[in-house]
Amino acid sequence: FVSPYLPHLNNNMASKTKGKKPQRSGSSVFANFDQQQIQEFKEAFTIIDQDRDGFISEKELKDMWAALGIVQDDKYCKEMAKVSPGQINFTAFLTFMGEKLADTDPEDVLSNAFACFDIDNTGVIPVAIFTNALTQLGDRFSKEEIKQMYDVAPMKGDSVDWKRFIKLIKYGGDFEEEA
C-alpha cells in the first residue's frame, strides 16, 4: 500500500528494534510481528484511514498516493483495494504487509547479492555503482523508482549502507548504524 516499489524493496514501515527478528509462528497475523512493529503499522494505517472509520477506501488510497506526490487513477486504486476480500481493515492491512515482508529473499541471499558490489568489503556501495546495477541488471528500476529508493535507503556519505538496507528490506525498520 505505502510504497510504489514494493515488488523491488518492500515496505519501510516496521520495527526500529535493533536486530530483533519477530517470531513467525501461530496462525494469527499479529504473531508475525512484535509490539513495536504492530504499533508502527497501526500508525501508518491510521494516517491512510483519513475518515477514521476503521477501513481504507479506494479514495483514501488515492489520497495517500497524492500525499506521496504520485497521481494514481481510480482503476489503479480499485486494483489495490482488491487485495482484501472485503473492506481493508487493520487486520487485512497487517496481513498484506506481512506477506510483502515475507516475500523477500532470505537475508543471506540478499547479503551475497549486495556483497558482489562491495568490492572492498566496506559495508557500503557507492551510489554510482548501485545506480548502475539497478538500471542495468535484473529487474531494471526506473529513474523514479531509483529516486524513491534513495529517499529511504540508509546512506553513509554518497554510498548505500547495504547491511542496514537489508534490515530495512527484511524487517522494515530504520535500523541505526551498528557500532
Side-chain angles (χ1 to χ4, degrees):
F1 291 111
V2 181
S3 176
Y5 49 92
L6 281 175
H8 296 291
L9 298 178
N10 293 304
N11 191 288
N12 180 26
M13 296 285 207
S15 176
K16 293 182 187 331
T17 48
K18 292 183 184 178
K20 182 179 178 189
K21 296 179 184 176
Q23 296 297 326
R24 303 269 184 220
S25 61
S27 60
S28 171
V29 66
F30 293 92
N32 293 333
F33 302 102
D34 63 35
Q35 285 305 112
Q36 179 68 27
Q37 289 174 307
I38 292 170
Q39 181 59 40
E40 290 179 11
F41 281 124
K42 184 66 175 172
E43 289 171 17
F45 181 87
T46 302
I47 290 168
I48 298 168
D49 180 21
Q50 296 173 6
D51 63 8
R52 305 293 186 258
D53 67 351
F55 301 98
I56 297 175
S57 68
E58 291 172 25
K59 180 188 180 319
E60 288 168 327
L61 288 172
K62 190 172 184 174
D63 291 346
M64 173 202 66
W65 285 113
L68 294 170
I70 300 168
V71 177
Q72 293 292 1
D73 60 17
D74 292 334
K75 181 181 176 186
Y76 184 86
C77 294
K78 184 177 285 255
E79 288 298 314
M80 281 185 73
K82 286 183 182 177
V83 300
S84 179
Q87 291 182 302
I88 303 171
N89 61 16
F90 180 64
T91 302
F93 179 78
L94 194 61
T95 299
F96 175 81
M97 298 310 294
E99 289 170 357
K100 287 300 176 185
L101 289 172
D103 284 346
T104 61
D105 288 321
E107 196 167 338
D108 64 326
V109 171
L110 293 171
S111 290
N112 289 338
F114 282 110
C116 291
F117 300 100
D118 183 9
I119 298 163
D120 296 326
N121 197 26
T122 59
V124 297
I125 302 170
V127 167
I129 292 171
F130 202 73
T131 301
N132 187 58
L134 293 173
T135 58
Q136 303 299 316
L137 305 172
D139 292 336
R140 291 172 172 89
F141 278 53
S142 68
K143 287 181 182 179
E144 181 61 24
E145 288 171 324
I146 290 171
K147 179 192 173 305
Q148 291 167 348
M149 188 270 316
Y150 283 127
D151 286 345
V152 298
M155 304 295 288
K156 281 188 179 176
D158 64 347
S159 298
V160 175
D161 181 337
W162 63 266
K163 292 178 181 180
R164 285 179 52 213
F165 195 43
I166 289 172
K167 301 283 188 209
L168 182 127
I169 292 168
K170 290 298 296 172
Y171 309 110
D174 181 16
F175 292 80
E176 299 296 321
E177 282 187 55
E178 296 175 9

